[in-house]
């Protein structure tokens, strides 16, 4: 029963807020794939292929995030402090790719770890705070918020 409720919530989210749904799906994909790429074997064809997929997911997360507005929290034209992660990803992601392509592997590694930690982990935790759209949805589903 709980699985059906979750699927129904996702269907409702897709219907009412397709940009938020796309953002969530790409973010979850980036979170899972990023862990695999960061802790897997480096320098292989698989690492490069999965890395490019992660770059595409993070690009999608940043672009979709730029179109998500929140007028309930302190904001500037709907942009809240969490939107600073969009700017971080837009700045750091191309740099990390250039580092790898120019052979600066230590800089690439540091940039990608920072992107994963900031763009996936920290932004993800902040998204799930009570009062944020997805956080409120999650906590209500778990019965921890009314």
């Amino acid at each position: 029963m709980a699985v059906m409720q979750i699927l129904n919530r996702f269907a409702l989210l897709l219907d009412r807020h397709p940009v938020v749904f796309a953002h969530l799906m790409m973010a979850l994909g980036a979170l899972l794939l990023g862990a695999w790429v960061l802790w897997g074997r480096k320098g292989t064809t698989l690492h490069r292929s999965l890395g490019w997929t992660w770059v595409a997911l993070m690009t999608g997360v940043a672009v979709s995030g730029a179109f998500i507005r929140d007028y309930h929290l302190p904001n500037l034209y709907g942009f809240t402090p969490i939107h600073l992660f969009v700017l971080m990803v837009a700045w750091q992601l191309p740099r990390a790719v250039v580092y790898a392509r120019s052979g600066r592997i230590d800089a690439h590694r540091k940039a990608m770890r920072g992107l994963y930690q900031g763009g996936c982990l920290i932004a993800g935790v902040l998204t799930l705070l009570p009062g944020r759209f997805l956080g409120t949805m999650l906590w209500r589903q778990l019965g921890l918020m009314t």
Side-chain angles (χ1 to χ4, degrees):
M1 183 64 174
V3 172
M4 287 308 295
Q5 286 177 332
I6 292 170
L7 291 176
N8 286 336
R9 289 280 185 183
F10 278 133
L12 189 61
L13 181 62
L14 175 59
D15 184 50
R16 292 186 180 168
H17 306 282
V19 175
V20 175
F21 180 82
H23 182 78
L24 175 62
M25 293 298 108
M26 289 184 285
L28 289 173
L31 180 70
L32 297 173
L33 184 60
W36 181 277
V37 173
L38 282 175
W39 286 289
R41 189 164 173 223
K42 309 296 187 283
T44 64
T45 302
L46 179 63
H47 174 80
R48 283 190 286 279
S49 298
L50 294 178
W52 278 112
T53 304
W54 188 79
V55 166
L57 286 169
M58 288 300 289
T59 300
V61 169
V63 170
S64 62
F67 290 98
I68 297 172
R69 302 288 190 277
D70 188 343
Y71 294 98
H72 302 310
L73 296 173
N75 69 84
L76 182 63
Y77 302 107
F79 292 104
T80 62
I82 200 169
H83 284 92
L84 293 173
F85 286 105
V86 171
L87 298 176
M88 179 198 74
V89 170
W91 171 256
Q92 199 65 357
L93 195 59
R95 289 170 45 121
V97 170
V98 168
Y99 290 151
R101 298 193 51 87
S102 63
R104 296 177 58 196
I105 301 306
D106 285 337
H108 169 72
R109 183 179 299 117
K110 183 178 179 183
M112 286 301 192
R113 284 182 181 159
L115 277 164
Y116 185 78
Q117 291 166 354
C120 290
L121 299 177
I122 295 171
V125 167
L126 293 175
T127 298
L128 297 178
L129 290 174
R132 305 244 350 130
F133 179 77
L134 290 174
T136 299
M137 192 173 105
L138 172 69
W139 302 124
R140 281 187 181 151
Q141 181 66 32
L142 295 174
L144 299 173
M145 188 175 172
T146 58

